[in-house]
Amino acid sequence: MTRRTGAEDGLATPSADPRHHVADPRARLRAAGLRVTAPRQAVLGVLGEHPHSTADAVASAVRRRLGSVSTQAVYDVLAACVDAGLVRRIEPAGSAARYETRTGDNHHHVVCRSCGATADVDCVVGELPCLTPSDTGGFVVDEAEVVFWGTCPSCAARGADDGAVRPGVRRPVAALHESHHHER
Amino acid sequence: MTRRTGAEDGLATPSADPRHHVADPRARLRAAGLRVTAPRQAVLGVLGEHPHSTADAVASAVRRRLGSVSTQAVYDVLAACVDAGLVRRIEPAGSAARYETRTGDNHHHVVCRSCGATADVDCVVGELPCLTPSDTGGFVVDEAEVVFWGTCPSCAARGADDGAVRPGVRRPVAALHESHHHER
DNA sequence: GCGTTTTCTTGACTCATTCCAGTCTCGGTG
DNA sequence: CACCGAGACTGGAATGAGTCAAGAAAACGC
């Protein structure tokens, strides 16, 4: 797959949500027991400003700040931060992995089918009976991941006319019909 | 990522669940307005017996039945069937896409962190208030996708001892702690 | 300042999936 | 029932996202 390119090619729209901003990268890194290096500070900074960015987008943004940084370094930094719990990694179907600094709460996401734009969705409302699977077939579940699919405001605006919802996103037909939400 | 290899390398364990079995591939294809070809019948047959298999696994299984079939053909068939609503495609983070013939109901899945084994989870119990995001930030949501992460029976059995939950599966730390299920 | 240990740079390489161009075949027609 | 054309399949090259590995370059504890 990986058709969806995203209007904003991986570099997510700047966010004003304070929950993403990384107050002091340096302190954060140190607290997590990680060495403080320029690439790491930059990565955290970038992710704070652009949550849900792809590794590639992060790399570009980081280079814009520091000059030159190897792609591998970015992957390493991201992996290290994910392991340390400073960064969360999400992998919406059909797009490259995206990263964000808002960790600790297991919030969910809405992803635009046509451009890939991603936004946070605070823990779903109400109780969570439905996040307790009925029968797990013996699996020991430790996490429930939820991804909402739809259309972002801007795509809805354009899309409404051009109608051509970007192809490559399979699942429309079926999905749009018997929508899971309503039926049971 | 894509570290998780899976004990059962993509070819899912045979399923007895009737909801996956494809009664008459030929009829199904015809009904969907698709041409009836050997590769297509074989793919549907294989998927009926091994739900949640990867494209690669499907290809091998199909070749075992028909002799030689190009990889491309398998991808084409899968895509055609997905478009026609005969097959559903799921993409658990960290593994190649998996396919299943149980469509129409938007059921969910449990995925084993260590071996990638996947099982169905019937529509979550109770009402679905929690599948109605609180604030979608303007997105028009048309589908809620849920993936449960955990450990499958066999891995739990082995794993308990060797302790070495296969690496590469990031998210453990945070996830295991403030588990979304309970809090909030 | 120094030595370790960890991180970064380079560059080759894998994997899943897609793109292309040519050949073959299903299935509606005459 | 032979024929034909749109729609499949074949083979091979190409992409995109990531990973592996070996050596150079920084961090940080002393």
Side-chain angles (χ1 to χ4, degrees), chain B residues 74-86:
Chain B
V74 174
Y75 274 102
D76 285 349
V77 170
L78 288 171
C81 290
V82 169
D83 285 343
L86 292 181

Side-chain angles (χ1 to χ4, degrees), chain A residues 122-145:
Chain A
D122 293 307
C123 208
V124 287
V125 306
E127 254 324 294
L128 308 98
C130 58
L131 286 188
T132 302
S134 44
D135 173 19
T136 60
F139 279 60
V140 178
V141 175
D142 63 58
E143 179 185 353
E145 179 186 2

Side-chain angles (χ1 to χ4, degrees), chain A residues 61-86:
Chain A
V62 166
R63 292 194 187 104
R64 226 167 285 135
R65 295 192 180 193
L66 306 179
S68 116
V69 177
S70 72
T71 302
Q72 188 56 44
V74 173
Y75 275 105
D76 285 350
V77 169
L78 287 172
C81 289
V82 170
D83 285 344
L86 293 181

Side-chain angles (χ1 to χ4, degrees), chain A residues 7-90:
Chain A
E8 24 92 45
D9 57 344
L11 214 219
T13 3
S15 160
D17 189 330
R19 282 168 300 191
H20 278 289
H21 280 98
V22 181
D24 181 5
R26 190 162 320 204
R28 281 248 168 156
L29 287 166
R30 199 152 271 144
L34 294 177
R35 283 193 181 178
V36 178
T37 69
R40 291 184 174 179
Q41 297 183 68
V43 166
L44 288 183
V46 169
L47 281 183
E49 291 168 23
H50 307 281
H52 314 131
S53 298
T54 62
D56 191 57
V58 170
S60 309
V62 166
R63 292 194 187 104
R64 226 167 285 135
R65 295 192 180 193
L66 306 179
S68 116
V69 177
S70 72
T71 302
Q72 188 56 44
V74 173
Y75 275 105
D76 285 350
V77 169
L78 287 172
C81 289
V82 170
D83 285 344
L86 293 181
V87 169
R88 178 142 94 106
R89 170 191 177 122
I90 58 176

Side-chain angles (χ1 to χ4, degrees), chain A residues 104 113 124 130 142 145 178, chain B residues 104 113 124 130 142-143 149 178:
Chain A
R113 284 189 201 286
V124 287
C130 58
D142 63 58
E145 179 186 2
E178 64 304 299
Chain B
R113 283 190 202 286
V124 287
C130 59
D142 63 59
E143 179 186 352
W149 293 91
E178 63 305 298

